[in-house]
Each structure stands twice: as C-alpha cells, then as structure tokens.
Amino acid sequence: MALESTVIAHGLPRPRNLETARLVEHEVRDAGAVPATICVAGGMLVVGASDALLGRLANENGVAKVSTRDLAPFLARVPDSGLGATTVAATAEIAARAGIEVFATGGIGGVHRGAEHTMDVSADLRALATQPVVVVCAGAKLVLDLAHTLEQLETLGVPVIGYRTDELPAFYARSSGLPVPHRVDDAAAAARIARLQLDRGAGMLVCVPIPEASALPRGELEREIDAALAAADAAGVRGGDVTPFLLGRLGESSSGRTLDANVALLRNNARVAAEIATALAGM
Ligand code: PSU
Ligand code: MN
C-alpha cells in the first residue's frame, strides 16, 4: 500500500512529521497490509522508504516537492538529484508503475479558491483520472474550493466514493454539505468497485470522514483560512509553494488543533486503505 511523502516533508511540522510517518506505517501493518512510502532519492524512484529515509524526508532542509511535472527533470539531474518528496499525483503514478493498487493520504490537491483567476488546479486531479490506483483521503484540503474540485473530478470521470457517508468530508470536519455521487459502507464494497475501475485503467477516490473524536467544527476554521489565503496573496506565493504556505499558516493560527486533527485523519485513512488493499488482494 502506497503512502506519499510531501505530507512528511512539507505538510506537517517537525517533529510530528516523522512521528506521524511512522504511526501511519504502523496502522497499515496493524491492518494486515504492507506500507510503502514513496519518494525520489539519488536519482531513483523509491517505493518503500527505509526508516532512515523517512528521517531524512522529515528533517532535512531543502527537500524538493516533486509533482508529476517535476519527475523527469528531477531524476535527470546529475550527479545526484537529491531528495524529493512526492505529491499525491507523483505518488499515484509511481505506485501504479510498481503495481500497487491502493494509496492513502490526508487530503488531495484540487481546485484552489480563486482558480477562475489563477487557474491553480492541482495535478492530483488528472493523476486520479489516469493512474489505476485507489486514493483514500479525508476529502480535499480545506483551503480549496471543494465544490469546484468535485465538478472537476466529474469532468475527469473520477468516481468519488463516500466511505460510510453521503457527503464529501471536509478534511478537519466530517461534512461539507456537498453530496457525493456514490457511497460504500465497508472495505469489501470499495474493493469491488476498485477491481472494475482499476481494470479500466483509471483511478478512484475513497473519501473517509475524520474520526468523530478528532473532528473540528465546520465553519470555525473559515476565518483562519481566509486570513491564510490573504497572507499568501500578500506575500506573492504562487504555484507549488501555495499549499505548504497555507498549511503552515493554519497550523500556527489554530495552535495545534489542526495538527492533531491532521494526524488523526492520516492514521484513519491508512487503516481504511489497508483494509481495502487486503480485500482487493483476496479477490
Ligand atoms: N494535503 C495536506 N497536506 C499536504 C498535501 C495535501 O493536508 O501536504 C500535499 C499532497 O502531497 C498533495 C499536494 O498532493 O499537497 C498538492 O499540492 P498542489 O496543490 O501544489 O498540487
Ligand atoms: Mn497548485
């Protein structure tokens, strides 16, 4: 089962990032699957980072954020292309090439707020449409335009499946008010859809609400998100730097509440994904 590394290098602060990377791998093993954290190191695609490599991803300065557009240029650097953390898009591509069918993350990238002006739409969406991998998430990152993200997923033909929910989860919150087109209530049902969808050569999204005990009230974060977006705009942050900037600001302004929630949903998604992987392996 695949795990991404951008969340370790750029999504969570030290020291929680390394701790969480290990906890997430533990959840996967506990549920009977084998974790493979994916990254790029020394000019090679790495499927199954060692604990030492997890430590470097978490603690080294200057780890690159590698999305699909960056894979070939990054690998071609000589003599040593350094260490790269892969986004959902790049991780899904590498997982598919390695024959891995299930991948867990926190929140996918999607359509940014104001994308009608900036055209900032994550490469994650296209990767979901073109890579035969099940991506398990808690929805899209909250800093995004969730309604437009759903529309884009429809355009791209990506099935969005609610896991024990009829709504798109809103990352830190369990509901967004936006209905999802399909629902499953257990891993076996998700695996049956996955078998058919992956055999079409395309991926799908399974959306799992954050566990009740760790959820934050919807709406409470809106003001903080608006402030983070305004700060990004004022600082002239663009492109791939936008997401890490916003997540960093939100972490500071919510004094750790968002961080605890983020860790809880990552662990929960890893567990559900491991159950789906196990069901798929038994089919
Ligand atoms: N969601 C999070 N934390 C993250 C990311 C998403 O809560 O760190 C990362 C994922 O790796 C995702 C990437 O693929 O951000 C999307 O970046 P962009 O919007 O630049 O495509
Ligand atoms: Mn972007």
Side-chain angles (χ1 to χ4, degrees), residues 127-146:
L128 276 161
T130 55
Q131 303 299 333
V133 175
V134 181
V135 178
V136 179
C137 67
K141 290 169 295 181
L142 206 55
V143 294
L144 300 176
D145 182 329
L146 299 185

Side-chain angles (χ1 to χ4, degrees), residues 20-33:
T20 305
R22 288 176 173 153
L23 282 171
V24 163
E25 291 207 346
H26 184 83
E27 292 286 353
V28 174
R29 287 206 175 86
D30 221 42

Side-chain angles (χ1 to χ4, degrees), residues 22-65:
R22 288 176 173 153
L23 282 171
V24 163
E25 291 207 346
H26 184 83
E27 292 286 353
V28 174
R29 287 206 175 86
D30 221 42
V34 180
T37 298
I38 288 177
C39 66
V40 193
M44 287 187 291
L45 307 177
V46 177
V47 179
S50 63
D51 195 64
L53 205 41
L54 290 184
R56 289 184 56 199
L57 284 163
N59 292 317
E60 272 185 22
N61 295 322
V63 175
K65 175 178 168 182

